[in-house]
Amino acid sequence: MLVLGLTAHVAAGELRNPDGFNTPQDHVIKRSQVEDFAQVGPNATFVCTSTSKSCTEKDGPFDKNGQLKAEGKVESVAYGRADSKDVSGLQLQRTYERVIKQMGGRLVAVMLGQSEKTGQMRQVHLIERKDQKKWVFVDTRSQYTLLNLSVITETALPDILTAGEFKSQLETQGYVALNVNFDTNKSVVLDSDKPTLDQVVSLLALSPDLRLSVDGHTDNEGNAAANKQLSQQRAEAIVAYLVNAGVAKDRLVAKGFGSETPVADNRTEEGRAKNRRVELVKPKPSVHSASDKPTDSVLLSLLAR
């Protein structure tokens, strides 16, 4: 299975099921990954159950050759039996068919040439809700001890805000969320996020009096102290990038809050994803403004008393 993605953010050592799914009986999670925007493209031709013919672009996220090209947020996980024995592909596929059906989904395509006898099977299911589509790709092969599950939630390609849009949001709400991510347990700025940060450089060049706090946040998964330290390191990495790009260091401050200030429910993956964020915050004006300072005439009158 090929998963092409922009960025991933799963804490080090963290093994997580996609939302709504549990680890199959007698199995353990071998690896897992969450991609904010990626493409699942297994090297296989799929036959649509509605037509019994090779899938096309009209049938969903397939190309003209019937290969799956689903894009969006990808939650992928690989399972293996705890005793390392081979999996029963047919049994697992049947289990997933039942579970996905209970979730309101349906089978839409199967791999051309799949064999129920050997358990070498690949299936694509669709869970469709009012304003959301989830494509579920299940890959089982009896001759291996691993099976793969990918849940692709259709989302729009993340937009890069311009310097003007950053400025507008800072003026209206006092902060703006940066669409940046980091590799697992890392604090290195990714090449894919540099265009966004370059817009921040432009913003600060256009607003020479503007000072910003770069605030890092995490979800509540893992150790709280480690999360806070990591969020601080990531905020500092962004500040370092901006400084290296020519922004005066005294115009920026890095702050790491860890999981202390969530903006969504940490009990769901969607909520945790929203809580993993970096924000630019415009400092609030001082309580005592320049107009509050006594004038020379007032000072003279006070001294004369």
Side-chain angles (χ1 to χ4, degrees):
M1 177 182 65
L2 176 65
V3 179
L4 303 174
L6 293 181
T7 54
H9 50 219
V10 178
E14 181 180 8
L15 296 174
R16 178 187 298 173
N17 281 301
D19 265 2
F21 290 87
N22 296 315
T23 304
Q25 186 177 4
D26 299 325
H27 288 69
V28 294
I29 300 176
K30 296 292 187 177
R31 61 177 182 271
S32 67
Q33 187 174 12
V34 178
E35 299 276 349
D36 282 334
F37 191 89
Q39 181 186 90
V40 172
N43 186 24
T45 299
F46 286 89
V47 175
C48 283
T49 56
S50 60
T51 63
S52 298
K53 296 180 180 179
S54 179
C55 298
T56 68
E57 296 97 327
K58 296 180 180 180
D59 300 307
F62 301 92
D63 63 17
K64 62 181 180 180
N65 298 315
Q67 294 199 354
L68 179 66
K69 300 295 181 184
E71 293 185 349
K73 176 186 173 183
V74 177
E75 301 168 84
S76 56
V77 61
Y79 301 109
R81 282 183 61 97
D83 56 12
S84 298
K85 292 183 179 179
D86 287 351
V87 301
S88 170
L90 179 60
Q91 179 184 6
L92 286 166
Q93 288 285 357
R94 292 288 186 262
T95 300
Y96 278 112
E97 287 177 24
R98 174 176 52 81
V99 170
I100 294 170
K101 186 175 182 180
Q102 290 174 348
M103 296 170 68
R106 57 187 173 85
L107 177 66
V108 297
V110 298
M111 180 181 67
L112 179 66
Q114 78 167 12
S115 171
E116 294 186 352
K117 183 177 181 180
T118 65
Q120 183 171 332
M121 305 170 68
R122 287 177 167 179
Q123 295 184 348
V124 180
H125 302 257
L126 173 61
I127 302 174
E128 193 169 13
R129 298 191 173 95
K130 183 178 180 181
D131 55 353
Q132 184 185 78
K133 286 185 177 180
K134 286 181 178 288
W135 300 92
V136 184
F137 172 61
V138 187
D139 179 10
T140 58
R141 303 185 186 190
S142 287
Q143 67 267 44
Y144 301 114
T145 59
L146 292 179
L147 64 119
N148 298 298
L149 171 69
S150 292
V151 179
I152 309 98
T153 304
E154 286 191 357
T155 56
L157 183 66
D159 292 327
I160 295 177
L161 293 179
T162 65
E165 290 169 323
F166 280 137
K167 184 177 181 180
S168 177
Q169 289 193 30
L170 284 169
E171 290 176 347
T172 57
Q173 62 186 24
Y175 72 94
V176 60
L178 288 178
N179 185 27
V180 296
N181 294 279
F182 293 87
D183 284 333
T184 303
N185 205 33
K186 301 290 184 181
S187 58
V188 178
V189 172
L190 300 175
D191 288 342
S192 58
D193 291 329
K194 291 179 180 179
T196 294
L197 298 182
D198 290 341
Q199 290 298 315
V200 180
V201 175
S202 298
L203 163 69
L204 291 164
L206 293 170
S207 307
D209 295 329
L210 180 63
R211 284 171 167 72
L212 292 173
S213 174
V214 180
D215 296 356
H217 303 269
T218 69
D219 59 26
N220 68 347
E221 296 287 312
N223 180 271
N227 282 340
K228 189 166 185 176
Q229 181 181 14
L230 182 62
S231 66
Q232 177 69 33
Q233 292 170 344
R234 289 174 171 177
E236 290 173 353
I238 290 177
V239 167
Y241 179 89
L242 299 176
V243 171
N244 288 335
V247 178
K249 190 174 183 179
D250 62 0
R251 299 179 65 187
L252 302 165
V253 60
K255 297 180 181 179
F257 293 91
S259 60
E260 295 173 358
T261 55
V263 294
D265 190 347
N266 272 310
R267 291 175 296 181
T268 68
E269 171 53 34
E270 182 181 2
R272 290 189 293 269
K274 290 180 179 179
N275 290 331
R276 297 188 293 263
R277 68 198 190 280
V278 176
E279 295 176 341
L280 299 179
V281 180
K282 186 178 180 180
K284 295 181 180 180
S286 174
V287 175
H288 299 290
S289 65
S291 61
D292 295 328
K293 295 180 180 178
T295 62
D296 290 342
S297 60
V298 173
L299 287 172
L300 288 172
S301 65
L302 290 172
L303 290 171
R305 293 180 181 179

